[in-house]
Amino acid sequence: MEIFLIPVLSYLIGSFSSAYVVGRLFKKIDIRNHGSGNAGATNALRIMGKKLGVLTFLMDFAKGIIAVLIGLGLGGYSGGMSAALFAVLGHNWPIFFKFKGGKGIATTIAALAMLQFPITLISVIAGVVTAAISRYVSLGSLVFLTVLFALTFTGMSDGGAITSIITFILMILGYYRHKGNIKRLIKGNENKIGR
């Protein structure tokens, strides 16, 4: 039963679009019609300002924590990893919002921090440093995902093969959702922090 319940519950939790709800409640806008059109924390920050951007991030963060707690409770570590994946899938392609969601970084950070805190922390630091130096949030996100996957092959990760498999899928999902950013990074016209 848990093998079906965990993915379904986690996907539905992930499908709660924080950026959309915050935009509607506080700014009377559909965030998907502004900026990059992405229903995520970065676009929320650019369009709605720091306070609402941070609120959106925290809500996306909470989704990952709630989903993983349910997954751990119902299915142990494997259930937690499954919950992490499906919460991100829900965030990226939310069933309640015509499958137009965000890029899943905040939810990924929260979910993996619950399961593999040391490697997640190191990966976040690598991503933040990259973003601070380059001033590209997207590049920082891509570095975070890549380092996270790479660290699953070190002694700092104790989750076995399932951790590497799920983090690899999350990395691919993240790269796919950032495909437009990657093209702009290559061309040199990606939006920088503060622009």
Side-chain angles (χ1 to χ4, degrees):
M1 182 66 177
E2 289 82 2
I3 196 171
F4 299 108
L5 190 58
I6 292 170
V8 171
L9 287 176
S10 301
Y11 174 78
L12 292 176
I13 291 168
S15 288
F16 178 84
S17 182
S18 307
Y20 178 87
V21 172
V22 170
R24 283 296 193 195
L25 285 177
F26 294 97
K27 294 291 186 177
K28 310 302 181 188
I29 63 170
D30 183 340
I31 191 70
R32 298 169 300 179
N33 296 328
H34 299 269
S36 66
N38 185 260
T42 301
N43 196 37
L45 178 67
R46 289 196 178 109
I47 301 303
M48 299 188 288
K50 290 182 180 179
K51 290 182 179 179
L52 295 181
V54 170
L55 175 61
T56 300
F57 178 87
L58 292 175
M59 290 171 71
D60 287 344
F61 201 83
K63 293 192 300 188
I65 293 174
I66 293 168
V68 168
L69 285 174
I70 292 172
L72 287 170
L74 293 176
Y77 183 79
S78 296
M81 289 303 297
S82 175
L85 173 59
F86 281 90
V88 173
L89 285 170
H91 176 82
N92 292 356
W93 294 280
I95 191 171
F96 306 124
F97 301 94
K98 299 180 180 179
F99 302 101
K100 294 179 181 179
K103 296 176 182 176
I105 300 302
T107 304
T108 297
I109 292 171
L112 269 295
M114 296 286 292
L115 298 159
Q116 292 288 330
F117 184 77
I119 66 172
T120 304
L121 177 61
I122 293 170
S123 303
V124 168
I125 292 172
V128 169
V129 170
T130 299
I133 293 173
S134 68
R135 294 177 60 205
Y136 292 122
V137 173
S138 57
L139 183 59
S141 298
L142 295 171
V143 167
F144 158 71
L145 292 166
T146 306
V147 172
L148 181 66
F149 171 62
L151 289 178
T152 65
F153 296 99
T154 70
M156 288 181 285
S157 173
D158 58 359
I162 189 172
T163 303
S164 297
I165 292 169
I166 296 297
T167 53
F168 176 73
I169 296 172
L170 290 170
M171 181 179 71
I172 297 301
L173 290 174
Y175 268 70
Y176 176 75
R177 293 297 287 171
H178 282 83
K179 60 184 184 297
N181 303 88
I182 293 171
K183 290 177 182 178
R184 290 191 293 273
L185 284 167
I186 293 171
K187 292 179 180 178
N189 57 7
E190 171 70 324
N191 289 324
K192 287 190 174 184
I193 297 170
R195 182 183 296 176

